[in-house]
Amino acid sequence: MATVIDGKALSKEIRAQVKDQVPALEKKYGKTPHLVVVLVGEDPASQSYVRAKERACERAGIRSTKLTKDPSISEEELINLVKSLNEDPDVHGILVQLPLPDHIDANKVIDTIEQKKDVDGFHPLNIAALQIGTPGVLPATPKGIMTMLESINVDLQGKKALIVGRSNIVGKPIAQLLLRKHATVTIAHSRTKDLKKECLDADVIIAAVGRAKMITGDMIKEGAVVIDVGVNRVDGKLIGDVDFESAKEKASFITPVPGGVGPMTIASLLQNTLECFEVLESK
Ligand code: NDP
C-alpha cells in the first residue's frame, strides 16, 4: 500500500517559509514583493486558479494585483499592458493566466514578459536556461513536483522515469529536471504504441495528460512512485489522470488529486515570486 505524498501539507510548509522570508526582504530592499496576475475573460477554472493564487499571496505577505480584462481585448492591447508591467519598478512578477482567447497568440504575449518577471517560467529564455542548466525561473508545476520527489528522498539516479504527456508547461520541463537528477527519462504521448508496457517499465511515473483515471493499477510496477498532475472535472469532482484506488495498491508513493501537485504549483509560484523580487531588486 502506497504512502500518500501530502501536497497540501508540503505546500503549507513552503508557504510558511516564504512568509518568514518576506519581512527580511522588505527590510533589505524597502519594498514588498508584488505579483500581478492578468486574467482575460471569465473562464471559471481560470478564475478559481487566479483566486487561489491571490489568496496564497495575501497569506504569505506578498502583494498581489489582479487585472481582469474583457475577452474582447486585442492582442496588441494585451501586449502593451504586459510592456507597461515590465517597466513598472514596483512589479516583480507577471503572470498571464492561460488559456487566452483564440484571437490572441499566447506565445507572443509570453515572449513579451520580461524574463526576470516571468514567475511562470514560460518565457523562451527561461526555457532555454532550463535546457542548458543555467540560472532562470523554473516553471511552477515541474518545480513543485521535484520538491515532492525530494520530500520523499527518492534517489532518481539511474531510475527509469516515464512522463505521460509532452506539453511545454509540464511534460517537457519535468523531463529536463528529472535528467538533472540523472534519471533515464522517457516521454510518452498520444502516439506512444504501448503505454502500458512503458508504464510497467517505469520506477517513476508522472501523469500529465488530462484524462481521468487513465493510468490504472495494472499499469504500475510494484513499488513505483506515481505523481498525478492531471486535473479533470468529472460530475463536478476533481479527478486525476491516475486511478488512485487501484494505483495505491502497487505504488510505493503516490500523490492524490486534489491535494497533490495542485497546491505545490501555488507554493512554487510564491517561491518564484520571491526569487524574481531578489533578482530584480539586488541589481
Ligand atoms: P496538454 O493537453 O497540453 O497535454 C496533454 C498531453 O497528453 C499531450 O502531450 C498528449 O499527447 C498527451 N496525451 C493525450 N492523450 C494521450 C493518451 N491517450 N496517451 C498518452 N498521452 C496522451 O496538457 P497539460 O500538460 O497542460 O496538462 C495535463 C494535465 O495536467 C491536465 O489535466 C491539466 O489540467 C493538469 N495540470 C495540472 C496542473 C497542476 O498544477 N496540478 C498544472 C498544469 C496542468 P500529444 O502531444 O501527442 O497530443
Side-chain angles (χ1 to χ4, degrees):
M1 180 79 90
T3 301
V4 176
I5 310 175
D6 186 343
K8 217 168 155 184
L10 190 54
S11 144
K12 207 169 160 190
E13 274 175 39
I14 293 168
R15 286 186 284 123
Q17 286 164 12
V18 167
K19 189 177 179 183
D20 283 349
Q21 282 172 273
V22 171
L25 289 171
E26 282 176 324
K27 202 168 165 208
K28 189 168 174 190
Y29 297 110
K31 274 186 189 177
T32 301
H34 182 198
L35 172 69
V36 175
V37 180
V38 181
L39 174 63
V40 180
E42 285 166 0
D43 173 54
S46 293
Q47 282 181 329
S48 100
Y49 293 142
V50 168
R51 250 194 319 274
K53 288 166 188 177
E54 276 189 293
R55 215 173 24 235
C57 281
E58 194 185 312
R59 288 184 183 156
I62 293 174
R63 186 179 155 204
S64 79
T65 303
K66 177 174 77 172
L67 299 177
T68 307
K69 295 290 156 191
D70 194 86
S72 65
I73 188 171
S74 70
E75 186 178 281
E76 194 188 355
E77 281 173 306
L78 187 57
I79 284 176
N80 285 336
L81 172 65
V82 170
K83 282 181 181 164
S84 70
L85 296 171
N86 286 344
E87 279 156 24
D88 187 338
D90 288 327
V91 172
H92 307 97
I94 304 169
L95 187 157
V96 179
Q97 185 66 41
L98 301 178
L100 291 172
D102 290 344
H103 66 278
I104 300 177
D105 181 343
N107 285 330
K108 273 196 198 161
V109 177
I110 290 164
D111 286 3
T112 311
I113 298 174
E114 154 69 46
Q115 183 203 358
K116 294 191 176 95
K117 297 188 179 187
D118 169 38
V119 283
D120 258 341
F122 294 165
H123 190 282
L125 289 173
N126 281 322
I127 293 168
L130 171 63
Q131 297 272 342
I132 302 163
T134 50
V137 185
L138 294 179
T141 301
K143 180 172 173 160
I145 293 170
M146 294 312 288
T147 308
M148 287 182 129
L149 291 173
E150 276 157 26
S151 79
I152 57 167
N153 290 317
V154 57
D155 180 11
L156 293 166
Q157 183 162 307
K159 296 280 162 56
K160 288 188 177 175
L162 174 73
I163 301 152
V164 192
R166 56 174 162 182
S167 71
N168 288 332
I169 63 167
V170 188
K172 287 178 194 163
I174 191 69
Q176 290 297 332
L177 294 177
L178 289 166
L179 277 176
R180 280 191 195 175
K181 297 288 179 190
H182 313 293
T184 302
V185 178
T186 303
I187 306 182
H189 45 77
S190 66
R191 321 290 162 89
T192 296
K193 285 270 184 295
D194 189 345
L195 184 62
K196 184 173 180 179
K197 180 170 166 286
E198 298 295 343
C199 286
L200 280 169
D201 215 23
D203 303 303
V204 178
I205 297 177
I206 316 273
V209 181
R211 282 174 159 233
K213 297 188 182 185
M214 73 168 287
I215 310 282
T216 45
D218 60 320
M219 298 167 78
I220 295 169
K221 182 160 98 175
E222 196 72 45
V225 174
V226 178
I227 307 285
D228 190 353
V229 187
V231 178
N232 308 286
R233 275 167 217 271
V234 181
D235 300 331
K237 277 177 76 180
L238 292 187
I239 310 273
D241 288 346
V242 175
D243 177 35
F244 186 83
E245 288 309 316
S246 61
K248 76 177 192 317
E249 301 300 325
K250 301 289 278 300
S252 56
F253 290 92
I254 189 166
T255 64
V257 176
V261 174
M264 293 303 294
T265 298
I266 296 200
S268 304
L269 173 70
L270 299 185
Q271 288 178 316
N272 282 353
T273 305
L274 287 204
E275 278 173 33
C276 289
F277 175 81
E278 280 230 81
V279 167
L280 289 159
E281 293 299 328
S282 61
K283 277 188 306 192

